[in-house]
Amino acid sequence: MALLGALFLVLLVGAHAELPGCKIRITSKALELVKQEGLRFLEQELETITIPDLRGREGHFYYNISEVKVTELQLTSSELHFQPEQELMLQINNGSLGLRFRRQLLYWFFYDGGYINASAEGVSIHTALQLSRDPTGRIKVSNVSCQASVSRMHAAFGGTFKKVYEFLSTFITSGMRFLLNQQICPVLYHAGMVLLNSLLDTVPVRGAVDELVGIDYSLLKDPVASTSNLDMEFRGAFFPLAEGNWSLPNRAVEPQLQEEERMVYVAFSEFFFDSAMESYFRAGALQLSLVGDKVPQDLDMLLRATYFGSIVLLSPAVIDSPLKLELRVMAPPRCTIKPSGTTISVTASVTIALVPPNQPEVQLSSMTMDARLSAKMALQGKALRTQLDLRRFRIYSNQSALESLALIPLQAPLKTMLQIGVMPMLNERTWRGVQIPLPEGITFVREVVTNHAGFLTVGADLHFAKGLREVIEKNRPADTRGAQASSVPPPSMAAV
């Protein structure tokens, strides 16, 4: 009975799990690019290591090592890969550090000082970043584990007390190596938990697309890593800004990502586009009214000729009134994605009326328009853009079949009016696109769009339009350098 109860609970939770409208997969092919940019950033961070002064005494010799600075860093052998449960693993082996520090030696009344160049060799760093979803739906680095060690150090001592320094070098270099080991992991921990998270803060989560609608890219669950990729599921839902709490139920086919040939893949379900169109519908944007000179002259003449019988029965003051043509979408348009292409179905009312000055308008006719638009998607930079084309068009009367026959002559001119006057306005908006959830400074290149049954995928490669250091410095939280000590990892994370 307990087993049946547990099974029922699992099924109940699964039945209410929210489906993603957008998925993103980062493949292992992207890691080489990320590693190159990341290592440059890591080298710059490690060069900021501050090592405490080293003081000591051996017999009558007193020594002080201070002003230790990293002058050079070489990370020759490194590997970045996905690892289940740890998400992202960086391994650096056989690296080296160049150091410069000030020496001071006192022996009885004799004093010696100066600067010395040293090198730390056999630098080994193993660090793992764990990614998760925070309470706001944003992707975050939630934990950094680290092990670091320096296997040997060498210092080129000189000067009056060269022989003495060579005698003390074992104590000095051992102490410096110990201190250096203690400093590497805190720097990496701070870089991950503070600086990389400031970069991830630039990923859009929930914000305005324009003055009417917004989009919600909240993560639905923690990212999932395999040995070859990292998968993320986003809500991918538009909403009218005037109704921030409104949401469209997602009953579309869940997008699937199977490919791994490109650096990144983005999948969008029909729900993604349906929520956009319903949001604009609820915001009152899917309507158009043309009055007087705004109605094309040829169409104005044709409409007046078509409804001449109704117009001549009106009073003389109304007959020559400006003509009004109003299109109003009656229900939210719907998107259909098939391997053969993407179409959008629209049903709208078309009202034709005369608008006499200072008088109520006089309706001449009301008809229904069914249109089917083809949609071509493109991912450029980091924006998903759409190009619409009117493919099918039909109008019919709400009154009678006989009136529908009389409307046949209006089919061609109305379609032309839509193609010339309406479609450019729609495409001007849809081609502006909507941003994909990527960090600042990273864009897509060499995109390929593939249609499937119920969803489409975009495969692309990544490009750093800005350096990682540039973006992080721009978004660096205030006083992070001074606050680095507050983000030091637990002692168990730093190798000794």
Side-chain angles (χ1 to χ4, degrees):
M1 183 63 70
L3 181 60
L4 289 175
L7 180 59
F8 175 76
L9 183 61
V10 170
L11 292 174
L12 185 63
V13 171
H16 290 82
E18 183 176 356
L19 293 177
C22 171
K23 288 184 178 182
I24 294 182
R25 164 172 288 181
I26 300 174
T27 72
S28 56
K29 288 183 170 56
L31 294 186
E32 186 60 35
L33 176 67
V34 174
K35 186 182 76 171
Q36 293 172 10
E37 193 66 30
L39 286 179
R40 280 193 289 269
F41 166 72
L42 185 59
E43 288 174 357
Q44 293 167 337
E45 283 301 304
L46 289 175
E47 287 174 359
T48 66
I49 287 177
T50 56
I51 299 177
D53 293 352
L54 181 64
R55 298 181 178 86
R57 173 184 175 180
E58 290 294 328
H60 296 293
F61 292 98
Y62 295 85
Y63 60 87
N64 181 33
I65 302 298
S66 60
E67 301 178 24
V68 182
K69 295 185 181 299
V70 177
T71 59
E72 183 184 6
L73 178 64
Q74 292 184 352
L75 306 178
T76 53
S77 176
S78 60
E79 181 183 357
L80 182 66
H81 62 270
F82 295 118
Q83 180 170 306
E85 296 184 4
Q86 289 294 331
E87 268 77 31
L88 204 56
M89 177 74 71
L90 174 64
Q91 295 181 330
I92 297 172
N93 297 306
N94 202 28
S96 63
L97 283 167
L99 302 170
R100 182 175 174 81
F101 57 87
R102 183 185 180 190
R103 73 178 191 271
Q104 293 173 295
L105 178 68
L106 181 65
Y107 177 68
W108 293 101
F109 300 107
F110 298 97
Y111 171 81
D112 180 58
Y115 286 89
I116 295 177
N117 293 323
S119 62
E121 300 173 348
V123 177
S124 175
I125 301 172
H126 291 185
T127 185
L129 302 181
Q130 187 170 0
L131 302 174
S132 65
R133 172 191 181 277
D134 76 358
T136 67
R138 185 181 299 278
I139 183 172
K140 284 287 188 180
V141 177
S142 57
N143 191 31
V144 178
S145 60
C146 175
Q147 289 184 337
S149 63
V150 177
S151 62
R152 55 192 178 277
M153 287 197 66
H154 173 73
F157 292 102
T160 306
F161 291 88
K162 177 179 179 180
K163 293 297 183 182
V164 176
Y165 279 117
E166 289 177 353
F167 169 73
L168 297 174
S169 64
T170 301
F171 302 102
I172 294 174
T173 56
S174 296
M176 288 185 62
R177 184 167 66 89
F178 174 82
L179 293 175
L180 189 58
N181 283 339
Q182 297 298 303
Q183 296 301 313
I184 292 176
C185 279
V187 169
L188 295 180
Y189 187 83
H190 177 262
M193 296 297 293
V194 178
L195 301 184
L196 285 183
N197 275 332
S198 72
L199 174 67
L200 295 177
D201 283 341
T202 66
V203 178
V205 174
R206 185 179 173 92
V209 176
D210 54 27
E211 69 280 3
L212 296 175
V213 307
I215 190 167
D216 187 343
Y217 277 127
S218 300
L219 270 175
L220 297 181
K221 61 181 183 180
D222 291 343
V224 178
S226 68
T227 56
S228 58
N229 54 64
L230 179 73
D231 288 338
M232 294 169 284
E233 297 185 357
F234 299 88
R235 178 167 289 120
F238 291 77
F239 60 91
L241 293 178
E243 305 176 70
N245 294 325
W246 175 84
S247 62
L248 178 69
N250 186 353
R251 299 185 179 90
V253 174
E254 182 177 354
Q256 302 296 322
L257 289 172
Q258 305 294 337
E259 303 92 336
E260 296 182 356
E261 289 75 21
R262 308 295 290 272
M263 291 185 182
V264 63
Y265 288 90
V266 188
F268 304 95
S269 71
E270 292 174 344
F271 166 80
F272 181 86
F273 303 101
D274 285 346
S275 69
M277 293 182 289
E278 181 143 349
S279 295
Y280 280 106
F281 175 80
R282 295 177 70 93
L286 303 185
Q287 53 184 305
L288 176 67
S289 182
L290 303 176
V291 181
D293 295 340
K294 298 296 183 180
V295 180
Q297 186 177 4
D298 292 344
L299 182 60
D300 184 289
M301 295 176 59
L302 181 60
L303 290 173
R304 289 181 185 274
T306 301
Y307 296 102
F308 178 77
S310 300
I311 293 175
V312 295
L313 298 177
L314 301 174
S315 65
V318 176
I319 290 176
D320 294 327
S321 299
L323 192 72
K324 175 182 178 181
L325 178 64
E326 182 180 75
L327 286 81
R328 185 185 297 269
V329 174
M330 300 168 61
R334 286 293 176 253
C335 172
T336 303
I337 302 176
K338 296 180 179 179
S340 57
T342 302
T343 59
I344 296 174
S345 301
V346 184
T347 299
S349 64
V350 181
T351 302
I352 301 169
L354 293 175
V355 188
N358 303 319
Q359 296 184 43
E361 65 180 47
V362 179
Q363 181 174 309
L364 298 177
S365 179
S366 177
M367 64 192 83
T368 300
M369 176 192 76
D370 286 338
R372 181 167 294 182
L373 313 177
S374 66
K376 291 185 178 180
M377 313 299 177
L379 196 57
Q380 295 186 353
K382 59 172 61 178
L384 179 67
R385 308 176 190 272
T386 305
Q387 179 76 29
L388 300 174
D389 187 24
L390 180 61
R391 290 298 186 186
R392 295 183 183 180
F393 174 81
R394 182 174 71 97
I395 55 174
Y396 55 91
S397 172
N398 296 327
Q399 305 299 323
S400 66
L402 186 61
E403 187 176 354
S404 295
L405 291 174
L407 294 175
I408 292 177
L410 293 177
Q411 296 265 11
L414 281 176
K415 183 176 182 180
T416 301
M417 185 272 293
L418 290 174
Q419 290 174 325
I420 296 176
V422 178
M423 296 306 298
M425 290 190 296
L426 285 177
N427 280 320
E428 189 277 331
R429 172 61 195 90
T430 59
W431 195 249
R432 275 186 262 161
V434 60
Q435 186 176 346
I436 303 304
L438 277 182
E440 181 181 341
I442 301 177
T443 60
F444 294 113
V445 295
R446 294 182 288 276
E447 309 87 351
V448 176
V449 180
T450 305
N451 277 39
H452 305 271
F455 64 96
L456 61 85
T457 60
V458 184
D461 292 331
L462 294 175
H463 170 68
F464 278 91
K466 296 180 182 178
L468 194 58
R469 166 63 58 184
E470 178 185 354
V471 177
I472 288 178
E473 287 297 335
K474 175 184 174 183
N475 297 281
R476 179 189 288 269
D479 301 326
T480 59
R481 292 190 184 278
Q484 182 165 330
S486 64
S487 63
V488 172
S492 61
M493 298 182 66
V496 293

